[in-house]
Amino acid sequence: MVATSRPRTEPIAASPDAVDLRREAVWFARYLIDAEPSEALVERYVRANAKVLHEPPTTRDAAVLAFVHAHPWSLGWLDAGTAFTRGAPRLRQKLVVMMAILEATPDYIEQTAPVDGVGIPRLAWRLGVAGARATAKLALGTALAAVVVRR
Amino acid sequence: MSADPVVDAIVVGSGPSAVNAAYPLVEAGLTVRMLDVGNRDTTYAGLIPDGPFSELRRTDPDQHRYFLGDDLEGIGFGHTGAGAQLTPPRQYVCKDTDRLQPITSQSFFPLQSLAEGGLGGAWGAGSPPFSAADLAGFPIGLEDLQPHYEVVADRIGISGARDDLMPFLGPTFALQPPVDVDSNGEGILRRYAIQRGALNKAGLFLGHPRIAMLSRPHRGRLANRSWDMDFWSDAGKSVYRPRWTLDELKKFPNFSIVSRRLVRSFEERANGEVIVTAANVDGSGTEQHRARSLVLAAGTLGTTRIVLRSLNQLDRRVPIVCNPHSYAALLNLNTLGDGVRDERHSMAQFCLVHAPDGPARPFTVGHFYSYRSLLLFRLIKDNPLPVRESLTLMRHLSPSFGVLILQHRDLPSPTKYCSLAGGDDDRLEIEYSLSAREQQHNDAIEADIARGLRRLRCLKLRTMRPGHAASVHYAGTLPMSAKDEELTTDRTGRLHRTRRIYIADGSVFPSLPSKGLTFTMMANADRIGCHVRSALRA
């Protein structure tokens, strides 16, 4: 039997472009904790991609990543969209890798450490705001992710 | 053949069973040689500074090396299964096992160890003794184990309390006061105190866990300093590791250890000698060691391989049991928004017992762990929300977050077995499945516990089932039996139809109650060591 087309989820060749990865590191740190990562963290992120995410991305993953690189403003929406649908996990995996790197760095402890003793009213407000933002991002992000992976 | 002298006993392995089986022999002046692969952590041990988790997080620029791993092995995207709970500094515990101890199974995913100290290098230190009811079906009773529980409790150091769990966890042996509970666990225990009557009526009991972690200095080890680094380092040696006993054994001139050796087989000679063949894992050759007796304590699966291979029982099925278990992610509403104390240990904060029929009937045990030192990214990874908002949620909720690890009892059945396949790589083939009735029974218990948790104001967010044997609590391949049957052991741990081959690890447990088996395994190993000592003296 001769295959006439490649399934959408079949892996495509990886493009471990260090320049792309360095850009991702900066965008991801800004997105996650509103901070500019140091050069050491950027290097750590590039290295982590080679160590942890060495499997080639699927076509869906590649489409999402390409869209983010072309339109960095879409990062938050596609993070939400792919988190919910789980159809293209690579972007989320990359964000979690960056999250882990930031969390294991003393410079960003204020932005990543657990928060306690805020009291119920303030806790409810903060969780409510985060929940509302997540809901909005999920609604729009799911639609955007569906469009992006079908392009 | 090795020119080494014949020793009184060869002990195979260096884990919890091995060191405790060796101890009475060595203490009695008998010559003991331990054979073991003995992998060690050569990467992280010297890297983690002494200090509290919160301080290291604030100040140590190299924390990423041990929290994430030099090869980022601490960031994994696989299924939550065997070994998923191991932090980078603990991963040496299962190093080389895929290569040297291969397993084929679709349903059973055990963690094995070739490390110095065995799986005890990463255990949770839960140390509840078995009760008389737990030992039903064993050819030994509580009176046989009791003196050895006391000896081992003193050897390893156990903290706990005389509280509501006394009827289920049994009498206390050389018990140190409990280590302080953290704010999260304290909130739930406060609620339990208010609801005790109703909860006890429903068969739910809470109390301090029995745990091999010191609250007072003991045998050159320090009390736990509440640094919350117990998943990462062994600061002060407060959590028991078999290495501490091994260090004591090494001080005896009649004890020796030969590392980098993987024992392949044994043979009993007509002159009473036991010949043990071991491979050098760093080379290609094998060597032979001679002894008057052999104590196998290489871990259930390691020992099973050696026995089946030595007796040429390829493809012969032997039983296997393990505690089916689940992780329930809980949100503790009692402490939501509250301030929390920084000081805490990382091990179980409290123990839960579900015993609607009382302590004389089988019951279910769970342990509650708070969540902090494993870092938030692991929670975020499994959260179906955008990462940025997940971070906000987890930062605020994690101080009230916890995991209840429940484990159910297990009995042997025809659908639970393993066998050693022939061929070059000596692959163990394991099949394990619960019957529909067993699964329904376990599900009903978990549903009942969930109701009790709601009464404790704990919201169950999610249940994870890491797969059979991921709990590491597996056993029963060469069970103790009162009958003289092949591939079983007698009550002294002697392999039936052999003269001087003893088995001292979990292989000999015919069944598993809903309690961690390690403490009982150690006590039983001490008991078997005492029998071997008597036999050698006779």
Side-chain angles (χ1 to χ4, degrees):
Chain A
M1 185 187 290
V2 177
T4 53
S5 65
R6 192 166 56 186
R8 295 187 76 89
T9 54
E10 185 182 320
I12 60 170
S15 58
D17 186 335
V19 175
D20 279 356
L21 292 174
R22 297 177 73 83
R23 288 164 65 197
E24 282 177 10
V26 174
W27 292 336
F28 290 177
R30 283 181 193 155
Y31 166 61
L32 292 169
I33 59 166
D34 299 316
E36 293 295 321
S38 66
E39 182 58 26
L41 287 203
V42 171
E43 285 299 329
R44 203 171 295 158
Y45 175 78
V46 173
R47 201 166 54 83
N49 269 263
K51 294 275 187 188
V52 182
L53 302 173
H54 40 74
E55 293 289 319
T58 63
T59 49
R60 284 167 178 255
D61 284 322
V64 169
L65 291 171
F67 194 86
V68 168
H69 276 271
H71 310 286
W73 56 264
S74 67
L75 176 58
W77 306 106
L78 287 175
D79 170 25
T82 55
F84 188 66
T85 61
R86 298 290 172 115
R90 180 54 61 93
L91 173 64
R92 186 175 180 81
Q93 288 171 346
K94 283 172 170 269
L95 283 164
V96 169
V97 166
M98 192 63 198
M99 183 66 242
I101 290 169
L102 293 167
E103 197 179 3
T105 308
D107 303 348
Y108 305 115
I109 190 157
E110 293 302 323
Q111 295 99 315
T112 59
V115 178
D116 66 280
V118 296
I120 291 289
R122 195 176 295 172
L123 178 71
W125 170 252
R126 290 181 186 178
L127 296 185
V129 170
R133 285 177 56 165
T135 306
K137 284 168 71 175
L138 285 169
L140 290 171
T142 304
L144 180 60
V147 171
V148 168
V149 298
R150 280 174 175 74
R151 273 155 52 105
Chain B
M1 183 177 292
S2 166
D4 288 345
V6 180
V7 291
D8 290 318
I10 285 174
V11 176
V12 180
S14 66
S17 302
V19 297
N20 283 288
Y23 212 101
L25 298 165
V26 173
E27 214 174 20
L30 297 164
T31 51
V32 174
R33 185 180 304 153
M34 186 170 272
L35 302 177
D36 184 44
V37 173
N39 285 332
R40 295 178 187 181
D41 167 28
T42 52
T43 308
Y44 301 109
L47 194 65
I48 305 174
D50 268 0
F53 170 77
S54 53
E55 188 187 316
L56 298 184
R57 284 276 284 109
R58 275 197 307 273
T59 59
D60 185 9
D62 290 329
Q63 61 186 273
H64 62 95
R65 290 195 59 193
Y66 46 89
F67 284 145
L68 306 183
D70 278 349
D71 286 327
L72 285 307
E73 65 269 30
I75 310 174
F77 291 104
H79 175 63
T80 306
Q85 69 273 41
L86 293 182
T87 58
R90 303 286 186 214
Q91 290 192 7
Y92 77 97
V93 166
C94 52
K95 187 182 166 198
D96 295 333
T97 55
D98 287 347
R99 180 169 61 87
L100 296 172
Q101 299 190 303
I103 285 174
T104 301
S105 183
Q106 299 298 317
S107 54
F108 199 82
F109 308 101
L111 206 63
Q112 301 178 86
S113 181
L114 293 168
E116 186 180 87
L119 290 169
W123 74 315
S127 299
F130 285 9
S131 63
D134 294 330
L135 291 166
F138 286 58
I140 57 170
L142 190 55
E143 65 283 2
D144 296 305
L145 280 174
Q146 194 117 346
H148 305 281
Y149 274 136
E150 293 183 28
V151 167
V152 171
D154 178 65
R155 195 174 290 152
I156 71 177
I158 294 180
S159 56
R162 294 166 176 81
D163 55 20
D164 286 6
L165 301 187
M166 272 289 284
F168 308 99
L169 302 187
T172 46
F173 310 95
L175 201 63
Q176 294 196 342
V179 183
D180 288 343
V181 180
D182 71 359
S183 307
N184 197 16
E186 219 171 52
I188 299 172
L189 288 173
R190 268 200 307 271
R191 180 72 186 162
Y192 170 72
I194 296 167
Q195 293 282 320
R196 178 184 274 119
L199 285 164
N200 289 175
K201 200 172 170 188
L204 211 62
F205 303 83
L206 263 58
H208 289 277
R210 300 285 171 79
I211 193 161
M213 179 168 66
L214 303 181
S215 60
R216 301 282 183 273
H218 184 64
R219 291 174 90 120
R221 294 161 49 205
L222 301 180
N224 192 276
R225 287 179 274 188
S226 299
W227 283 350
D228 198 13
M229 285 296 289
D230 305 301
F231 292 147
W232 307 92
S233 71
D234 293 317
K237 299 184 176 180
S238 74
V239 175
Y240 176 74
R241 307 285 174 207
R243 295 201 310 275
W244 315 152
T245 303
L246 194 57
D247 288 342
E248 291 184 28
L249 289 170
K250 285 176 181 172
K251 291 177 184 160
F252 288 86
N254 50 320
F255 175 80
S256 61
I257 180 164
V258 185
S259 293
R260 315 304 296 158
R261 300 296 184 274
L262 183 67
V263 169
R264 304 279 302 165
S265 61
F266 61 79
E267 182 190 344
E268 283 191 295
R269 292 274 166 87
N271 64 359
E273 277 184 13
V274 181
I275 307 295
V276 176
T277 302
N280 182 338
V281 295
D282 296 329
S284 56
T286 60
E287 62 193 26
Q288 294 190 325
H289 297 259
R290 295 178 299 154
R292 293 170 60 209
S293 63
L294 172 64
V295 180
L296 292 169
T300 293
L301 297 178
T303 292
T304 303
R305 266 174 218 281
I306 295 167
V307 169
L308 294 178
R309 190 188 295 125
S310 303
L311 303 181
N312 199 25
Q313 294 282 355
L314 301 182
D315 299 320
R316 167 83 178 263
R317 288 181 181 180
V318 292
I320 193 161
V321 288
C322 85
N323 293 121
H325 75 301
S326 65
Y327 295 175
L330 302 177
L331 184 63
N332 169 19
L333 302 178
N334 298 286
T335 57
L336 216 52
D338 291 353
V340 297
R341 284 193 309 277
D342 186 50
E343 299 78 24
R344 67 186 72 178
H345 64 84
S346 317
M347 311 313 253
Q349 299 297 329
F350 65 80
C351 177
L352 172 152
V353 169
H354 174 260
D357 301 320
R361 300 285 303 149
F363 52 84
T364 304
V365 177
H367 286 91
F368 176 89
Y369 292 78
S370 291
Y371 192 96
R372 185 177 70 162
S373 71
L374 292 177
L375 303 180
L376 297 183
F377 79 88
R378 287 189 177 82
L379 294 179
I380 291 169
K381 190 172 65 176
D382 295 324
N383 189 324
L385 293 174
V387 177
R388 183 178 167 120
E389 281 70 30
S390 291
L391 174 61
T392 304
L393 291 178
M394 292 306 162
R395 288 184 69 201
H396 287 82
L397 294 179
S398 64
S400 296
F401 194 75
V403 178
L404 181 70
I405 302 181
L406 278 179
Q407 58 177 32
H408 303 277
R409 71 192 284 255
D410 195 32
L411 301 172
S413 83
T415 59
K416 305 164 187 169
Y417 59 87
C418 75
S419 59
L420 185 67
D424 292 339
D425 65 351
D426 277 347
R427 190 167 286 274
L428 266 186
E429 295 177 345
I430 305 178
E431 289 299 322
Y432 183 96
S433 62
L434 298 174
S435 67
R437 191 176 170 188
E438 285 174 315
Q439 189 60 59
Q440 282 166 6
H441 179 70
N442 294 346
D443 290 347
I445 289 170
E446 289 182 20
D448 209 24
I449 290 173
R451 278 190 286 277
L453 289 170
R454 284 197 290 276
R455 202 183 271 269
L456 287 166
R457 292 186 182 157
C458 286
L459 200 61
K460 187 158 93 169
L461 304 174
R462 187 181 171 200
T463 300
M464 292 157 280
R465 300 187 192 284
H468 298 304
S471 67
V472 194
H473 295 163
Y474 51 85
T477 47
L478 305 161
M480 277 188 272
S481 170
K483 296 178 190 164
D484 180 8
E485 292 172 328
E486 202 174 29
L487 299 178
T488 63
T489 54
D490 69 12
R491 65 195 312 280
T492 69
R494 185 180 56 82
L495 188 63
H496 277 131
R497 302 179 191 182
T498 69
R499 282 167 293 165
R500 291 286 174 90
I501 311 297
Y502 294 85
I503 298 179
D505 56 26
S507 315
V508 301
F509 285 32
S511 61
L512 287 178
S514 168
K515 282 177 183 167
L517 74 159
T518 311
F519 181 41
T520 302
M521 220 167 62
M522 291 191 274
N524 192 52
D526 185 77
R527 187 182 69 86
I528 289 166
C530 291
H531 278 294
V532 177
R533 181 180 64 195
S534 303
L536 285 168
R537 281 175 168 170

